[in-house]
Amino acid sequence: MLDQSGPLNSLGFDKAPADTRVVVAMSGGVDSSVVAAELKSQGYDVVGVTLQLYDHGAALAKKGACCAGRDIHDARRVAEEMGFPHYVLDYENVFRDAVIDEFADSYLGGATPVPCIRCNERVKFKDLLETAKDLEADCMATGHYIQRKVGDHGAELHAAADAGRDQSYFLFSTTAEQLDYLRFPLGHLPSKDDTRALAAKYGLSVADKPDSQDICFVPNGDYASVIRKLRPEAAAPGNIVDHTGRVLGQHDGVVNYTIGQRRGLGIGGLADPLYVVKLDAENRQVIVGPKDMLATRSIPVREVNWLGDDRFDSRDAWHVAVKVRSTRPPTDAVIRPISATEATVELAAAEAGVSPGQACVFYDRDSSRIFGGGWIHKG
């Protein structure tokens, strides 16, 4: 299952598996459970850790969500089945401060945030990774579908073999230092069917558990209700206006709208279809316009995490491919660094619906390697 990248064991360490301690970040789903089971079967010193990220009795919690109460139970059960220790860590305060509050504030600011990236960046690959080191683990393994390969200059991040499962968009902010310590044992598998087959092989109770589709703290994908609960002012009414400022209708909170939205605007009777092109939370305005107003070729990015071999600002331009949304394929672009952490991305072809708060992830045009990425912000 695992890449044979080291002289003595599959995780690349020059010692026997029994002498290699691995902390496995266990969400309670089939992916991380298979990672833990496979490593245990190979003789590694496995320690499972699950994060409790929010109050499971609160309204924000939902059945079947990542790291909800049922998932903690499932992770613990897998650890019992496979015979390795398992710990649950209370990260509720950290998660609220680092992820949930920013999620709500970003929406109120007219952006479209991606909290799963912030969770990986600020919780799982930061605090949990430090916990793994405190436990004297040699590395931390996760069930993410992405590949870590060792190149001439050290560890590299690569897209998963199964393009349909690839999670590189959500892991672009993984730093080089973190990458040295992390392992992603599922990244080379051809399909999710192979993962479920391994779960069945080990007789895991989660073998047929469905994948979680929603953000863990957002019940049924209803962002608006969560944000209204966290920030009641998000439901403040205002005007729907066109790009000239002409009032076309009213809304019951900018939080109910997203960039690129066409349906449900409540401004029927117009000759041509209109789309949400901007959210002005400060003035409580939803700005709409024709579809061509959504198209852009120039994207300002900041908080750049660069995983290339040379310094990011050592060149005037980098010719790469980029993703501006997780569901879109990479498209040719030129990155023009402004500093070590800021740049302008120029797309070869205009993209519609590029929204502040989303990530812009950089890919090598000639291989599966990921060069990092940055956060799209208002120009």
Side-chain angles (χ1 to χ4, degrees):
M1 170 187 172
L2 302 175
D3 293 336
Q4 299 294 321
S5 54
L8 281 184
N9 72 45
S10 60
L11 295 179
F13 295 100
D14 191 12
K15 54 184 175 180
D19 299 322
T20 307
R21 176 169 293 177
V22 186
V23 163
V24 179
M26 300 183 68
S27 68
V30 64
D31 298 324
S32 57
S33 296
V34 164
V35 168
E38 176 71 8
L39 292 175
K40 177 63 178 177
S41 75
Q42 292 187 17
Y44 287 96
D45 178 9
V46 172
V47 178
V49 175
T50 301
L51 302 182
Q52 178 173 314
L53 297 179
Y54 50 83
D55 181 357
H56 309 303
L60 292 183
K62 76 186 201 70
K63 183 180 178 180
C66 166
C67 304
R70 178 67 192 179
D71 295 313
I72 291 175
H73 168 79
D74 288 342
R76 181 181 293 117
R77 184 174 176 184
V78 168
E80 291 173 353
E81 291 168 350
M82 296 302 299
F84 59 82
H86 174 259
Y87 301 97
V88 178
L89 304 182
D90 182 354
Y91 273 46
E92 286 185 24
N93 291 336
V94 172
F95 187 67
R96 176 173 284 274
D97 293 344
V99 180
I100 296 180
D101 284 343
E102 184 189 71
F103 171 81
D105 292 338
S106 294
Y107 254 105
L108 284 181
T112 308
V114 191
C116 296
I117 299 176
R118 289 303 196 192
C119 182
N120 289 326
E121 174 188 315
R122 296 176 174 177
V123 181
K124 293 177 182 175
F125 290 176
K126 183 175 179 284
D127 293 338
L128 178 55
L129 190 145
E130 289 304 315
T131 296
K133 291 181 178 180
D134 290 342
L135 291 171
E136 300 182 342
D138 294 280
C139 65
M140 186 174 88
T142 80
H144 289 107
Y145 286 87
I146 196 166
Q147 297 188 80
R148 174 191 183 274
K149 298 183 179 182
V150 180
D152 293 338
H153 299 272
E156 300 174 353
L157 201 62
H158 286 254
D162 180 0
R165 303 292 303 181
D166 176 59
Q167 292 176 292
S168 57
Y169 184 86
F170 301 99
L171 296 170
F172 83 86
S173 61
T174 306
T175 66
E177 181 182 5
Q178 292 167 344
L179 196 54
D180 282 339
Y181 193 70
L182 290 164
R183 300 294 188 273
F184 308 107
L186 301 183
H188 73 286
L189 293 179
S191 75
K192 181 63 177 270
D193 290 341
D194 296 277
T195 305
R196 292 199 180 277
L198 285 166
K201 169 187 171 183
Y202 293 115
L204 300 183
S205 53
V206 297
D208 297 321
K209 186 175 181 177
D211 293 336
S212 178
Q213 300 296 324
D214 298 325
I215 295 172
C216 65
F217 59 90
V218 180
N220 305 313
D222 187 357
Y223 297 1
S225 66
V226 171
I227 296 166
R228 281 194 296 269
K229 184 176 181 66
L230 295 167
R231 303 288 188 273
E233 65 272 25
N239 292 326
I240 300 175
V241 303
D242 66 13
H243 63 285
T244 69
R246 180 167 62 104
V247 176
L248 303 177
Q250 283 71 48
H251 65 77
D252 56 359
V254 295
V255 72
N256 297 301
Y257 299 84
T258 58
I259 302 294
Q261 180 178 336
R262 176 186 173 188
R263 300 183 184 279
L265 300 182
I267 50 172
L270 300 173
D272 298 314
L274 296 177
Y275 300 77
V276 176
V277 298
K278 185 179 180 181
L279 299 173
D280 183 350
E282 184 177 354
N283 295 304
R284 302 206 304 263
Q285 289 186 335
V286 174
I287 298 96
V288 298
K291 189 175 184 178
D292 59 12
M293 288 188 67
L294 287 169
T296 184
R297 288 188 59 183
S298 181
I299 305 173
V301 296
R302 60 188 177 189
E303 295 183 63
V304 170
N305 178 55
W306 180 248
L307 294 174
D309 297 330
D310 299 319
R311 273 191 10 256
F312 181 60
D313 55 356
S314 66
R315 294 189 194 177
D316 293 331
W318 296 92
H319 295 266
V320 298
V322 302
K323 272 189 181 186
V324 294
R325 284 196 176 175
S326 62
T327 54
R328 294 182 180 177
T331 183
D332 286 349
V334 177
I335 308 170
R336 301 193 184 280
I338 297 170
S339 69
T341 58
E342 295 178 289
T344 298
V345 176
E346 298 174 1
L347 303 177
E351 286 265 358
V354 177
S355 175
Q358 296 282 304
C360 180
V361 181
F362 313 150
Y363 296 81
D364 186 359
R365 293 190 296 186
D366 302 317
S367 74
S368 61
R369 188 174 179 185
I370 294 110
F371 287 135
W375 292 95
I376 300 169
H377 70 102
K378 299 175 182 178

